[in-house]
Amino acid sequence: MSSVDVPGDSGAVPKAAVAAKPATAWISWVALAFMITSSVASLRSSPSMAVYGLAAIFLYVVPAIVFLLPTAMVSAELASGWSGGVYNWVSQGLSKPLGFLAVWCQFAMTIFYYPTLLAFVASTFAYVINPELAGSGLYTAIVIVVVYWAGVWVSSQGTKTVAGLSSAGLVIGTLIPGTVLILLGMVFLGQGNPSAAPMDAAHILPPWAGIASLVLIVNNFLSYSGMEMNAVHVSSLKNPARDFPRSMFLAVGLVLLIFILPALAISWVVPADSTSLTAGVMQAFDTMFAHFSVQWLTPVFGLMIIAASLGGMLTWLAGPSKGVLMISREEGWLPPSLQKLNKHGIQQNILVAQGVVTTVIALLYAFIPDVSSAYWILSVITTQIYLIVYLLMFVAAVRLRKTQPDHPRGFRAPALGLLCVVGFLASAAAMIIGFVPPSQFGSGNPLVYVLIVGGGLILVGLAVPYLLIKLSRPSWRDPERAAAEGE
């Protein structure tokens, strides 16, 4: 997942700062590839693709081609020419209100992202204390509420260890568990045990049972999100035009390996019809460790994965809300009460307001019998809201090429128009498919599913920012404080 870009940056750099910058302050294209990988890849989405077995490869590669690459290349050009992130890109290319909509959607999608992330944490922690709790909606809701508010408290203290926790989480909670999962899976098959999912050529493509059979691919678009943040590092490369494509293709390869191989490993040992979308990773570890008579390692790896997830949550908790705060101070699009900072310089009131909504959403887990269904519905709403950001970004990129063709850019994406068309159509298709109830979630009422997903998208993603702009007052603006905050 990406962290939000800080808006309102004019791009002007004080001469003293330029003079003070070391001449060797460059990063290698390999280092950038690892940065991209660490912010995008995780094990959390592996269970949702493991149910497809060998077809998971197809379902990961297609979004990478039609969404991941266009997003990366387009955002690289925008970041190398315009500072301020997605807000400034869309503001320059389209309009300031649409720029606010873009950064609002980056912020708003986290309202649904936190419950899904913490549902994963809850199910993983269940394997440490009592695996039977993994399917309990009440338990999941309690964990979401308690851990989220604990995270708000930590963030409000102005902690400076969040970034370190997130970086260490890639190694401790993603690379090590993922590698062990893959190796044990290979040994499991090497011992002559049959795979739970067919691994023959006839299962390379997912079975077609109507459009609902492909709905899970939508979740992969959000799994690949984050390139618009990493593209801001283009200016730190010595030769952006040559090095950034190298970084991107290496990162794409690493991300695909991290996503695909653990999903396959899970499909080898956990039958699709019993795979939990929230606890599938721990199911696989538990099964494998039991097979090799080292089941005592299950809670150890559970804690490792939890540490990575919590580090990611803390990183995201203050970032997007900070972006909305900066814009609102500049344009007056939030009431003054939400613009206030606590003694640590943290936008605590925004975090609390967000927490109230997150708590209400968390209660869905207590009232929806199937935890996997609640997890999936919230994941789709998260994706729908975030896709608005990309739809706006692709349109803005085309407009900026036409309206500001001579604007200095450190990197020019090849075939920008084609990339934007492919990315826009892929994002739009993903949004449309997101309204189709997935076949894996029983015979519930499709209309109810559409109303929940559509209601979440319209209410949180569109109606709220529209009302904030319409109800804003000139007295809410504080450009001086916004400028000072951005220094």
Side-chain angles (χ1 to χ4, degrees):
M1 298 291 292
S2 63
S3 58
V4 75
D5 306 295
V6 178
D9 184 358
S10 65
V13 180
K15 292 182 179 180
V18 173
K21 181 179 180 179
T24 57
W26 307 105
I27 61 174
S28 70
W29 65 272
V30 176
L32 179 57
F34 286 140
M35 292 171 65
I36 295 171
T37 303
S38 66
S39 64
V40 174
S42 75
L43 298 177
R44 192 164 62 93
S45 61
S46 297
S48 64
M49 288 298 105
V51 300
Y52 281 99
L54 193 60
I57 299 175
F58 173 84
L59 295 175
Y60 269 123
V61 171
V62 171
I65 294 173
V66 302
F67 179 76
L68 177 60
L69 285 177
T71 299
M73 293 299 198
V74 171
S75 59
E77 172 167 329
L78 294 174
S80 68
W82 291 268
S83 59
V86 70
Y87 164 71
N88 196 34
W89 303 343
V90 177
S91 295
Q92 294 272 347
L94 300 175
S95 68
K96 281 195 172 184
L98 288 178
F100 176 69
L101 174 62
V103 77
W104 169 265
C105 286
Q106 281 188 321
F107 166 72
M109 74 92 183
T110 64
I111 295 174
F112 297 95
Y113 169 69
Y114 295 134
T116 59
L117 173 66
L118 295 178
F120 174 77
V121 169
S123 63
T124 303
F125 187 61
Y127 272 82
V128 177
I129 56 175
N130 182 3
E132 294 183 1
L133 291 174
S136 169
L138 179 60
Y139 158 79
T140 302
I142 292 173
V143 171
I144 292 174
V145 172
V146 172
V147 175
Y148 176 83
W149 284 105
V152 169
W153 181 83
V154 171
S155 296
S156 68
Q157 302 305 303
T159 178
K160 297 182 180 180
T161 61
V162 170
L165 279 171
S166 181
S167 300
L170 173 69
V171 177
I172 296 174
T174 299
L175 294 182
I176 293 177
T179 301
V180 170
L181 189 65
I182 296 164
L183 292 177
L184 290 182
M186 294 173 67
V187 173
F188 178 84
L189 295 181
Q191 291 180 334
N193 296 295
S195 170
M199 289 289 124
D200 55 84
H203 293 84
I204 292 178
L205 297 179
W208 179 253
I211 194 171
S213 63
L214 292 178
V215 169
L216 281 173
I217 197 173
V218 175
N219 208 28
N220 288 354
F221 281 78
L222 188 62
S223 297
Y224 287 133
S225 64
M227 294 301 174
E228 75 279 5
M229 180 272 292
N230 289 289
V232 301
H233 300 295
V234 168
S235 59
S236 297
L237 295 170
K238 282 188 175 181
N239 190 336
R242 180 195 66 191
D243 291 343
F244 186 78
R246 289 181 177 181
S247 298
M248 188 48 53
F249 287 120
L250 176 58
V252 168
L254 292 173
V255 169
L256 285 174
L257 288 176
I258 292 173
F259 279 149
I260 292 173
L261 294 183
L264 288 179
I266 292 174
S267 73
W268 295 336
V269 298
V270 182
D273 58 1
S274 63
T275 299
S276 166
L277 297 190
T278 55
V281 174
M282 294 312 300
Q283 282 180 327
F285 275 121
D286 196 47
T287 301
M288 286 184 180
F289 288 151
H291 175 78
F292 291 102
S293 300
V294 288
Q295 202 166 5
W296 59 270
L297 283 174
T298 299
V300 175
F301 275 71
L303 292 174
M304 291 168 65
I305 294 172
I306 288 171
S309 298
L310 294 181
M313 185 198 76
L314 290 175
T315 300
W316 270 87
L317 201 54
S321 57
K322 179 77 168 183
V324 172
L325 172 76
M326 294 288 294
I327 299 167
S328 299
R329 286 189 159 193
E330 182 180 322
E331 301 295 333
W333 286 333
L334 275 186
S337 60
L338 291 178
Q339 296 183 29
K340 291 181 179 179
L341 305 178
N342 66 8
K343 63 181 181 180
H344 299 290
I346 302 299
Q347 55 283 3
Q348 184 170 309
N349 289 359
I350 294 180
L351 294 178
V352 170
Q354 183 184 30
V356 172
V357 180
T358 300
T359 299
V360 172
I361 294 174
L363 295 178
L364 283 174
Y365 285 92
F367 294 106
I368 295 180
D370 186 353
V371 172
S372 285
S373 294
Y375 178 88
W376 173 250
I377 290 173
L378 293 177
S379 294
V380 171
I381 294 175
T382 302
T383 303
Q384 300 290 69
I385 292 175
Y386 207 8
L387 285 172
I388 294 176
V389 178
Y390 293 109
L391 292 174
L392 292 171
M393 186 186 78
F394 288 127
V395 175
V398 173
R399 286 273 300 155
L400 286 171
R401 266 285 183 99
K402 291 182 178 180
T403 58
Q404 302 184 39
D406 300 323
H407 185 88
R409 296 165 171 83
F411 172 80
R412 282 184 176 267
L416 179 77
L418 177 61
L419 289 172
C420 288
V421 169
V422 171
F424 184 91
L425 292 178
S427 300
M431 183 171 286
I432 294 171
I433 292 174
F435 287 102
V436 181
S439 57
Q440 288 79 8
F441 293 91
S443 56
N445 190 331
L447 180 59
V448 173
Y449 181 89
V450 171
L451 289 176
I452 293 175
V453 174
L457 171 64
I458 294 173
L459 177 63
V460 180
L462 299 175
V464 173
Y466 174 80
L467 290 174
L468 287 173
I469 293 176
K470 287 296 182 182
L471 299 176
S472 63
R473 302 174 183 176
S475 60
W476 292 0
R477 292 189 60 197
D478 193 347
E480 292 184 3
R481 280 199 300 173
E485 188 70 18
E487 293 177 356

